[in-house]
Amino acid sequence: MAIEKVRKYFEEMGIADRITEFSGSSATVELAARELGCAPERIAKTISFYGEDGAVILVVAAGDAKIDNKRFKEHFGFKAKMLSFEDAERLIGHAVGGVCPFAVNEGVQVWLDESLRRFETVFPACGSSNSAAEFTCAELERYAKPAGWADVCKGWRDEEKL
């Protein structure tokens, strides 16, 4: 089970106590926010894409952000194409609903989106459809070991909400 991979990774990092498991589902932004009692935008959702040459790219973004196809293409150099439901678990190591930036398969690239930086803490999943952990952006960067920060989302900036 993918949460066990994340739990083992967190144990190695000395943060095993950070995972919270819920009796209900946290598989969507709305469900996770309800379980955590926080605003949906503070949920750090992980969106998965096919990269080039069989690579996989994960973008961790705020719950209210949406991928901006133009920004994505400018940053990565190719059109955004989300992983299919069937490919997610095999290629990432986590099933849809629990995809997270921790303990992913080798070769999977993790990117953190700028939409997260406006929050003191955010809540990514931990490998299952009923788990999450709270991290500052600095902690998320430390434990997710991303390739870097990207600005590939829309809908979260004040000027975009008008």
Side-chain angles (χ1 to χ4, degrees):
M1 200 173 195
I3 191 170
E4 294 308 321
K5 285 175 44 180
V6 174
R7 194 181 316 281
K8 183 175 186 266
Y9 174 70
F10 279 15
E11 285 172 7
E12 292 168 5
M13 297 289 113
I15 58 168
D17 61 337
R18 299 292 281 270
I19 298 174
T20 300
E21 290 185 83
F22 311 107
S23 57
S25 175
S26 60
T28 67
V29 167
E30 293 76 21
L31 291 172
R34 187 174 21 227
E35 287 293 331
L36 288 158
C38 73
E41 52 269 22
R42 288 187 54 215
I43 302 303
K45 63 183 176 184
T46 304
I47 312 162
S48 53
F49 300 92
Y50 293 101
E52 294 185 309
D53 301 323
V56 174
I57 293 173
L58 301 180
V59 175
V60 185
D64 61 344
K66 293 181 170 69
I67 292 297
D68 181 313
N69 289 324
K70 183 178 181 220
R71 284 186 177 127
F72 186 97
K73 188 170 184 177
E74 285 172 359
H75 184 86
F76 293 108
F78 53 89
K79 186 179 176 184
K81 182 178 179 197
M82 291 182 67
L83 252 61
S84 69
F85 185 88
E86 297 77 24
D87 284 346
E89 188 168 13
R90 178 177 58 83
L91 295 176
I92 301 167
H94 305 310
V96 172
V99 175
C100 69
F102 315 109
V104 295
N105 290 346
E106 192 167 325
V108 173
Q109 285 187 29
V110 175
W111 290 85
L112 304 179
D113 186 73
E114 290 292 329
S115 60
L116 298 169
R117 289 196 199 252
R118 64 201 153 120
F119 303 108
E120 190 172 319
T121 61
V122 294
F123 297 90
C126 292
S128 71
S129 62
N130 67 330
S131 64
E134 185 174 16
F135 291 101
T136 65
C137 285
E139 290 173 326
L140 184 59
E141 188 170 12
R142 178 177 177 194
Y143 299 119
K145 299 181 180 174
W149 286 85
D151 186 3
V152 296
C153 288
K154 63 182 178 182
W156 61 273
R157 294 174 179 89
D158 286 341
E159 66 271 15
E160 294 171 337
K161 292 181 179 182
L162 299 177

